[in-house]
Amino acid sequence: MTKQTDFQGLAIIMRGLPGSGKSYWVDEYIKSLPKSAAHEQVKVCSTDEFFYQEGQYRFNPKQLSKYHQLNLTRFIHAIANKVPVVICDNTNMAQWEFEGYCKAAKAEGYQVQIQLVGEPKNKQHQLLCADRNKHRVPLASISRMARAFEVI
């Protein structure tokens, strides 16, 4: 199979604590695109979407691994279909969590951009994240995630 050499796709891998502003960054990025291009040319893949049932966010840790795999599959499908901009909007706390996304994107000729939002190790940032995250993740969990967050 011959790859298109002129294809210039972009894969954006979001990283940050819950409430850091990752989804806001994605929304602002999409708004910055020409209106005609924004919807047909961008695919946002977020594991959180799988936790919504009847409009309510219902996190179930038992489903997390399965939903992460479904999200990666959706991401790979988008790049295989040459969607110009494909975004992984997850916390991606450690490199192993987003490695598959990067490898798949590069294999299809995409440029990969890692987009860190906020400063996970900063205590003020953690307080802000706990205050504004939309899934009501408590400060203790945010702080635990921050300690484990791999700075690359």
Side-chain angles (χ1 to χ4, degrees):
M1 187 167 135
T2 309
K3 289 201 187 303
Q4 287 180 290
T5 54
D6 58 345
F7 180 74
Q8 293 294 312
L10 175 63
I12 301 173
I13 310 298
M14 301 304 298
R15 298 190 71 216
L17 296 170
S20 62
K22 295 179 305 297
S23 297
Y24 176 79
W25 187 97
V26 169
D27 290 343
E28 291 299 306
Y29 174 80
I30 293 170
K31 284 181 198 171
S32 76
L33 299 173
K35 290 205 188 297
S36 61
H39 293 291
E40 300 96 39
Q41 297 191 14
V42 179
K43 174 67 177 169
V44 179
C45 302
S46 173
T47 300
D48 274 343
E49 291 174 26
F50 294 102
F51 289 104
Y52 280 94
Q53 298 167 3
E54 300 168 11
Q56 295 285 322
Y57 184 79
R58 295 194 176 108
F59 181 75
N60 179 347
K62 292 178 183 173
Q63 298 294 325
L64 191 57
S65 180
K66 172 184 162 186
Y67 290 168
H68 273 305
Q69 190 59 49
L70 287 170
N71 196 57
L72 177 58
T73 300
R74 182 169 51 179
F75 182 92
I76 290 169
H77 186 262
I79 61 174
N81 285 303
K82 301 293 186 207
V83 174
V85 179
V86 184
I87 301 171
C88 172
D89 186 10
N90 289 344
T91 57
N92 290 310
M93 294 184 9
Q95 189 164 351
W96 70 265
E97 294 176 315
F98 59 90
E99 230 168 2
Y101 292 92
C102 293
K103 286 180 180 176
K106 287 176 183 174
E108 289 296 325
Y110 279 70
Q111 175 187 348
V112 175
Q113 174 183 328
I114 308 296
Q115 186 65 50
L116 175 63
V117 179
E119 298 177 40
K121 302 294 184 183
N122 179 286
K123 295 287 185 200
Q124 287 304 114
H125 178 68
Q126 293 168 27
L127 287 167
L128 179 65
C129 290
D131 186 50
R132 71 179 182 192
N133 79 84
K134 61 186 175 188
H135 302 310
R136 297 191 204 116
V137 179
L139 178 58
S141 297
I142 298 271
S143 296
R144 188 179 74 256
M145 292 173 81
R147 284 191 299 276
F149 201 95
E150 195 176 286
V151 179
I152 297 170

